[in-house]
Amino acid sequence: YNIEVYLNTMVIDITADKQITAVNSDKGLLKIKAGAIILAMGCRERPRGAINIPGSRPAGILTAGTAQRFINVEGYFPGKNIVILGSGDIGMIMARRVILENARVEAVVEIMPYIGGLIRNEYQCLKDYGIPVYLRHTVTEIHGNERIEGVTISKLDEKFKIVEGTEKYIDCDTLLLSVGLIPENELSKSAGVMLSSVTGGPIIDENMHTNIPGIFAAGNVVHVHDLVDYVTLGGERAGKSVAAYLSGKLGDGNHRIKLEKGSNIRYIVPEYISGVSDVSLYLRVMDPAEKVTLKIGRDLFTKDMKMVKPSEMIKIDLPSKIIKNIMDGRLRIDCVIHKTGNVDQIENGHNEKEIVCLVCPLACRGKVYVDENGEITRTINFKCKRGKEFAVRELKDPERILTGTVKTVDSLQPLLPFRSSKPISMNLIKKSMEELAEIEIDHPLKIGDLIVKNILGSGTDIIATMDYPFKRDREVNKYGKQ
């Protein structure tokens, strides 16, 4: 499509009339006049300075995303005895990762009374490996000079005040911070884009259009998503909207409906809709709840849900025919406790086990009934055949995808990340990691190349997840970069 691409280029300003100022090392200062702009700057991790932990400032304190990059891209491991502050998804994924790398996770410490990430990560990253979790706790002091030596954690009351006498000291050489993400909106502010006080991102309509004509926004710069699938959908919508805008087909947007937060709703994106086309709504609740009903308007749309959590985004696809006749300009969404409905009863002579399905991001919470001989008699509340099959495997022989690193003989990249080609029995994961710990890679590899075939006779291969140009095959410039 003959699209010009500027790499290694920093945008330093955007104006309301769509004038872009950028800079790079090849062309120096750039001025670009755009017909339309899509803001897609993503988000950044909240650092230590934003959460005001008292104590010294030793080495060994880093965000979970930085630790992930060190391991997966740079080939370095952050530490051996680790405390994780916060239970966001990256923090939980890193908890599992360091356990599999033969390090210790001394504790996951969470300020809220519930886990802050997806329930599927809570199960496959924390519960699978018995990692200690301290809810309603936070780090109240950091110890150490050159390197962190430990932290003190304390319990918090309902007003997030420290409960005296609950202090607990934990030895550690690394503190990973998984305390939230912040949409990167400095450029949005310079363009005069209106930002939401709740999400920190631009206020948009269903076309991803901001209040500035011709400036659109998509992805984590709008609000922090928990699934990359939703980021992709937003990007596609923004691209189509820009094409329509530049060709004059987007519409005037005069008929707008304001979406209003009702009971237990923290935010809704988009905040405005025209009512002339189908729209996908993304929302989060304020507090966890079970057996609830999402209500849009008085009688327009309802959706029953078994469980809602602030950390799990809810997506609602709303047909235009439902909303096109609304003329008062407002549409309220509520999340109310669902008092009716059948309650599943435990069958006589059977044990009931709850299973969280890990096959897809929906993470259905189903039930499995097992008779006195340990045989599965029935599964309920799983939405697909794969979910039912997963529940059966989970009781008989649970399986997980294995990720980790193997050593190399290359000082420029001492670790190479891998994954298993398919799920492997949990019973084999520890032995597999022990076998992989003995391997040293001494030759070039590409993503997807085989590291170990049929590990421990499991039928599962171990494959590289990063290109690895062995040091003798590298061309290194004077700055030490490949």
Side-chain angles (χ1 to χ4, degrees), residues 232-288:
T232 303
L233 292 173
E236 291 177 351
R237 186 63 185 252
K240 291 176 181 177
S241 297
V242 165
Y245 174 82
L246 293 175
S247 62
K249 299 177 182 178
L250 188 58
D252 56 19
N254 289 330
H255 183 179
R256 289 197 164 191
I257 300 167
K258 175 75 167 73
L259 296 176
E260 293 187 337
K261 298 178 293 182
S263 57
N264 200 26
I265 300 295
R266 183 166 177 259
Y267 72 76
I268 308 163
V269 175
E271 296 197 11
Y272 292 93
I273 57 177
S274 65
V276 299
S277 61
D278 297 347
V279 62
S280 294
L281 306 181
Y282 298 89
L283 55 104
R284 293 188 190 273
V285 297
M286 296 183 69
D287 300 305

Side-chain angles (χ1 to χ4, degrees), residues 173-220:
D173 61 19
T174 305
L175 175 64
L176 300 186
L177 305 179
S178 181
V179 291
L181 302 169
I182 306 168
E184 187 74 74
N185 271 298
E186 280 67 22
L187 291 172
S188 307
K189 293 176 184 176
S190 69
V193 171
M194 290 178 59
L195 302 182
S196 165
S197 60
V198 180
T199 65
I203 294 173
I204 60 170
D205 63 15
E206 78 259 43
N207 296 310
M208 320 302 285
H209 212 164
T210 70
N211 63 298
I212 305 297
I215 297 184
F216 300 74
N220 282 342

Side-chain angles (χ1 to χ4, degrees), residues 424 427-435 452-460:
I424 186 171
N427 294 326
L428 296 177
I429 281 181
K430 185 177 179 181
K431 291 181 179 178
S432 298
M433 289 303 295
E434 290 173 354
E435 180 167 314
V452 176
K453 185 173 180 61
N454 190 23
I455 189 165
L456 298 179
S458 63
T460 299

Side-chain angles (χ1 to χ4, degrees), residues 16 64 95 103 123 188 216 292 301 314 344 411 422 431 455 472:
Y123 273 77
S188 307
F216 300 74
V292 301
F301 180 91
I314 301 167
D344 297 316
S411 61
K422 60 183 181 180
K431 291 181 179 178
I455 189 165
R472 65 168 172 257

Side-chain angles (χ1 to χ4, degrees), residues 173-441:
D173 61 19
T174 305
L175 175 64
L176 300 186
L177 305 179
S178 181
V179 291
L181 302 169
I182 306 168
E184 187 74 74
N185 271 298
E186 280 67 22
L187 291 172
S188 307
K189 293 176 184 176
S190 69
V193 171
M194 290 178 59
L195 302 182
S196 165
S197 60
V198 180
T199 65
I203 294 173
I204 60 170
D205 63 15
E206 78 259 43
N207 296 310
M208 320 302 285
H209 212 164
T210 70
N211 63 298
I212 305 297
I215 297 184
F216 300 74
N220 282 342
V221 79
V222 179
H223 61 129
V224 177
H225 296 63
D226 47 21
L227 298 177
V228 73
D229 311 58
Y230 296 157
V231 175
T232 303
L233 292 173
E236 291 177 351
R237 186 63 185 252
K240 291 176 181 177
S241 297
V242 165
Y245 174 82
L246 293 175
S247 62
K249 299 177 182 178
L250 188 58
D252 56 19
N254 289 330
H255 183 179
R256 289 197 164 191
I257 300 167
K258 175 75 167 73
L259 296 176
E260 293 187 337
K261 298 178 293 182
S263 57
N264 200 26
I265 300 295
R266 183 166 177 259
Y267 72 76
I268 308 163
V269 175
E271 296 197 11
Y272 292 93
I273 57 177
S274 65
V276 299
S277 61
D278 297 347
V279 62
S280 294
L281 306 181
Y282 298 89
L283 55 104
R284 293 188 190 273
V285 297
M286 296 183 69
D287 300 305
E290 293 187 1
K291 294 184 179 178
V292 301
T293 298
L294 290 175
K295 296 179 64 177
I296 299 180
R298 290 186 178 179
D299 301 305
L300 287 176
F301 180 91
T302 61
K303 180 179 181 179
D304 292 337
M305 300 188 69
K306 290 186 63 180
M307 181 180 182
V308 291
K309 290 178 61 180
S311 58
E312 304 216 7
M313 188 183 298
I314 301 167
K315 179 175 179 283
I316 300 174
D317 295 318
L318 206 58
S320 59
K321 64 181 181 181
I322 291 179
I323 53 178
K324 65 181 180 180
N325 295 321
I326 297 173
M327 302 305 296
D328 61 4
R330 296 182 183 277
L331 189 60
R332 177 182 165 114
I333 300 180
D334 292 275
C335 178
V336 297
I337 296 176
H338 183 43
K339 297 292 186 182
T340 61
N342 296 325
V343 177
D344 297 316
Q345 299 294 324
I346 298 178
E347 300 176 3
N348 291 332
H350 291 67
N351 293 320
E352 178 190 75
K353 298 181 183 295
E354 184 177 79
I355 300 290
V356 174
C357 180
L358 306 178
V359 170
C360 79
L362 290 177
C364 297
R365 297 178 66 149
K367 293 179 181 179
V368 177
Y369 293 100
V370 181
D371 64 19
E372 57 188 8
N373 297 318
E375 295 297 321
I376 296 171
T377 60
R378 190 160 69 103
T379 62
I380 62 172
N381 296 332
F382 295 102
K383 295 180 180 179
C384 67
K385 181 181 178 181
R386 292 173 66 204
K388 294 177 181 179
E389 292 171 347
F390 173 86
V392 173
R393 291 197 307 272
E394 189 70 2
L395 283 182
K396 293 184 175 180
D397 184 16
E399 299 175 328
R400 299 289 185 268
I401 290 289
L402 177 61
T403 59
T405 59
V406 289
K407 295 189 290 290
T408 76
V409 296
D410 189 348
S411 61
L412 294 177
Q413 187 179 319
L415 298 174
L416 176 69
F418 69 77
R419 76 189 296 268
S420 58
S421 60
K422 60 183 181 180
I424 186 171
S425 170
M426 287 285 289
N427 294 326
L428 296 177
I429 281 181
K430 185 177 179 181
K431 291 181 179 178
S432 298
M433 289 303 295
E434 290 173 354
E435 180 167 314
L436 289 162
E438 302 300 318
I439 293 175
E440 282 193 342
I441 303 297

